[in-house]
């Protein structure tokens, strides 16, 4: 039974539904980041009883990423099969479970803190798919998806600034700071999830242009993979590298900014991400003008390639003293997100519609994410054990290598979809 608010929104029209849904989804995912990212601004140099070869901070970052990656693996089934009416309750339950993990991180002995951070990350990986489930399959999904992605560009910096301020300005102990930050944001998260649950489903015109979305069980997932397997593999390879680069830049922002001379400026975490959001949102919003779903998929491939070029060009310009350190980090972030964001929203949504197979966008997103976070863990282990480079030198080389791999794999995937998949009569290109 629909609520009065849902019926009123349905009568208000497609644009007002989009504005309402984007507001609720943005706030929900923004607040989720308060449970995921603040712990990374801690240095944990005072952890005295840690005697292992891997640095404590690297260990807890890896532990959370492993939990998050395992969550993505679980989400391939759980999120793609989730009934729409259960999504809001699942979001609240998963976030509360994460908060318990953050509290345990503060109170447990050092060795068990790693387990606590793993448990905190374990439920959070499923939030994205549950939130995006309210937005996909609409004529406005590009705007909605891009707006939702802006939340994790902006929120990562904001919640880290809040966490840093709690320790620097308010004296909150470093180990309690992650739980305190999450608790501050939970009331707003609960309100935004309730708002999201009132969003009207896609209307008849949405379903005609983007396909009706439905839970995706084993047979549907198998058919999706069989239809575009090689292209998916190439896209996932690019995403593994993008995720590793994005996570390294995000999780070790403190170390990178300190190396660049901005170590005592907490606001830098937020200020450096805002120009990226301003650049990304209009660009992805304009892609909504492409009504042909197959053409849209190819366009997003081109954006991924352009992002790779921007990463390499900005790094070269910084080394040649043509860019300041601040604008280099901003430009690299813009290049990363130019490639990263399509995977998390619009590419999966348009690919689902273009292939014309029953299902939803969650399956491909979670296949990519599971692999991507595995690459992130491997990269951090390489930094700890394999290469004795400074944070900044390691990141510089990582930018060049990542740009090359992403550019090549995305170009090959683009050719595959253009020549082998979308030339067949089965693709839905309305």
């Amino acid at each position: 039974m629909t609520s009065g608010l849902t019926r009123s929104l349905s009568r208000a029209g497609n644009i007002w539904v989009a504005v309402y849904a984007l507001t609720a989804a943005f706030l929900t995912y923004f607040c989720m980041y308060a449970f995921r990212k603040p712990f990374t601004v801690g240095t944990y140099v005072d952890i005295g009883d840690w005697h292992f070869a891997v640095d404590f901070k690297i260990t807890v970052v890896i532990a959370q990423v492993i939990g998050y990656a395992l969550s993505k693996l679980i989400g391939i089934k759980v999120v793609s099969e989730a009934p729409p009416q259960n999504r809001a309750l699942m979001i609240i339950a998963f976030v509360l479970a994460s908060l318990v993990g953050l509290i345990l991180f503060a109170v447990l002995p050092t060795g068990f803190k790693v387990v606590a951070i793993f448990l905190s990350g374990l439920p959070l990986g499923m939030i994205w798919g549950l939130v995006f489930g309210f937005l996909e399959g609409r004529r406005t999904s590009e705007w909605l998806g891009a707006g939702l992605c802006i939340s994790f560009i902006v929120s990562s910096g904001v919640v880290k600034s809040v966490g840093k301020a709690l320790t620097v300005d308010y004296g909150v102990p470093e180990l309690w700071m992650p739980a305190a930050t999450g608790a501050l944001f939970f009331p707003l998260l609960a309100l935004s999830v309730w708002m999201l649950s009132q969003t009207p489903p896609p209307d008849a015109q949405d379903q005609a242009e983007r396909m009706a979305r439905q839970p995706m069980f084993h047979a549907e997932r198998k058919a999706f993979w069989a239809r575009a397997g090689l292209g998916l593999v190439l896209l996932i390879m690019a995403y593994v590298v993008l995720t590793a680069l994005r996570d390294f830049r995000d999780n070790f922002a403190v170390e990178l900014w300190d190396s660049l001379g901005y170590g005592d400026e907490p606001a830098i975490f937020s200020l450096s991400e805002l120009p990226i959001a301003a650049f990304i949102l209009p660009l992805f919003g304009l892609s909504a003008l492409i009504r042909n779903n197959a053409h849209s998929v190819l366009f997003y491939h081109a954006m991924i390639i352009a992002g790779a070029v921007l990463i390499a060009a900005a790094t070269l310009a910084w080394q040649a003293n043509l860019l300041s350190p601040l604008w280099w980090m901003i430009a690299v972030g813009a290049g990363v997100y130019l490639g990263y964001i399509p995977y998390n929203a619009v590419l999966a949504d348009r690919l689902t519609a273009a292939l014309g197979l029953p299902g939803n966008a969650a399956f491909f997103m979670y296949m990519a994410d599971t692999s991507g976070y595995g690459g992130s863990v491997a990269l951090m282990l390489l930094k700890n054990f394999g290469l004795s480079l400074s944070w900044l030198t390691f990141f510089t080389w990582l930018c060049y290598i990542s740009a090359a791999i992403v550019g090549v794999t995305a170009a090959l995937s683009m050719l595959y979809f253009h020549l082998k998949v979308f030339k067949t009569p089965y693709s839905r290109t309305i």
Side-chain angles (χ1 to χ4, degrees), residues 207-214 216 220 223-224 227-228 293-294 297 348-360 421-422 424-430:
Q207 295 181 29
E209 291 196 20
R210 301 294 179 91
M211 289 182 54
R213 303 305 165 92
Q214 63 186 56
M216 200 170 182
E220 290 82 5
F224 191 94
R227 180 77 179 86
N293 292 312
V297 170
D349 183 63
R350 284 298 192 111
L351 183 58
T352 301
L355 294 179
L357 298 172
N360 54 62
V421 178
F422 297 146
T424 71
Y426 302 106
S427 60
R428 181 182 178 90
T429 59
I430 292 175

Side-chain angles (χ1 to χ4, degrees), residues 195-219:
M195 291 173 57
L196 194 58
S197 70
Q198 306 304 304
T199 305
D203 61 23
Q205 190 172 346
D206 288 328
Q207 295 181 29
E209 291 196 20
R210 301 294 179 91
M211 289 182 54
R213 303 305 165 92
Q214 63 186 56
M216 200 170 182
F217 299 102
H218 177 73

Side-chain angles (χ1 to χ4, degrees), residues 91-341:
I91 292 170
I92 294 294
F94 290 155
V95 170
L96 285 174
S98 178
L99 180 58
V100 171
L102 295 178
I103 294 171
L104 293 175
F105 176 71
V107 301
L108 289 179
T110 301
F112 291 99
K113 293 184 188 300
V114 177
V115 178
I117 282 292
F118 166 81
L119 294 175
S120 176
L122 186 58
L124 294 181
M126 287 180 277
I127 303 300
W128 176 267
L130 293 169
V131 172
F132 190 69
F134 290 98
L135 309 182
E136 68 170 303
R138 303 173 188 269
R139 286 161 286 161
T140 54
S141 285
E142 277 77 14
W143 282 103
L144 297 175
L148 181 57
C149 288
I150 295 303
S151 71
F152 63 65
I153 298 176
V154 176
S155 61
S156 180
V158 171
V159 299
K160 282 187 285 190
S161 292
V162 171
K164 192 71 171 178
L166 286 177
T167 58
V168 173
D169 299 330
Y170 296 96
V172 175
E174 203 170 48
L175 291 172
W176 275 102
M177 174 267 294
T181 307
L184 279 176
F185 280 86
F186 183 77
L188 180 58
L189 181 136
L191 174 62
S192 60
V193 171
W194 175 82
M195 291 173 57
L196 194 58
S197 70
Q198 306 304 304
T199 305
D203 61 23
Q205 190 172 346
D206 288 328
Q207 295 181 29
E209 291 196 20
R210 301 294 179 91
M211 289 182 54
R213 303 305 165 92
Q214 63 186 56
M216 200 170 182
F217 299 102
H218 177 73
E220 290 82 5
R221 296 195 294 266
K222 185 177 179 180
F224 191 94
W225 187 261
R227 180 77 179 86
L230 180 58
L232 300 180
V233 169
L234 290 166
L235 281 173
I236 289 172
M237 288 173 63
Y239 186 70
V240 167
V241 177
L242 281 168
T243 302
L245 177 60
R246 180 239 180 192
D247 270 13
F248 192 89
R249 177 182 176 273
D250 202 34
N251 290 328
F252 299 101
V254 171
E255 289 77 7
L256 291 172
W257 284 117
D258 185 59
S259 299
L260 292 168
Y262 294 85
D264 296 325
E265 301 181 31
I268 196 68
F269 301 112
S270 302
L271 296 177
S272 60
E273 305 303 298
L274 293 176
I276 300 173
F279 168 70
I280 292 290
L281 181 57
L283 190 59
F284 278 92
L286 289 173
S287 67
L289 300 175
I290 306 174
R291 296 191 62 190
N292 184 298
N293 292 312
H295 291 172
S296 181
V297 170
L298 298 177
F299 174 75
Y300 291 127
H301 277 79
M303 290 184 69
I304 295 167
I305 296 168
V309 172
L310 178 57
I311 292 167
T315 304
L316 185 62
W318 170 68
Q319 290 188 309
N321 295 317
L322 298 176
L323 272 182
S324 70
L326 174 62
W327 281 104
W328 171 55
M329 287 288 281
I330 290 172
V332 168
V336 169
Y337 283 112
L338 198 60
Y340 185 83
I341 284 180

Side-chain angles (χ1 to χ4, degrees), residues 15-100:
I15 299 300
W16 285 109
V17 170
V19 171
Y20 176 88
L22 178 55
T23 301
F26 182 95
L27 289 174
T28 298
Y29 208 71
F30 186 101
C31 293
M32 186 282 290
Y33 255 62
F35 299 83
R36 185 180 170 210
K37 285 297 181 181
F39 87 97
T40 64
V41 299
T43 58
Y44 309 111
V45 293
D46 296 328
I47 301 293
D49 53 344
W50 183 258
H51 308 293
F52 296 93
V54 185
D55 176 78
F56 178 78
K57 180 172 179 178
I58 290 180
T59 302
V60 292
V61 169
I62 289 174
Q64 195 206 51
V65 171
I66 290 174
Y68 204 73
L70 182 58
S71 184
K72 298 294 185 180
L73 181 62
I74 296 169
I76 293 173
K77 176 176 174 63
V78 172
V79 178
S80 64
E81 295 181 3
Q85 65 272 18
N86 292 348
R87 289 180 188 137
L89 183 60
M90 291 170 71
I91 292 170
I92 294 294
F94 290 155
V95 170
L96 285 174
S98 178
L99 180 58
V100 171

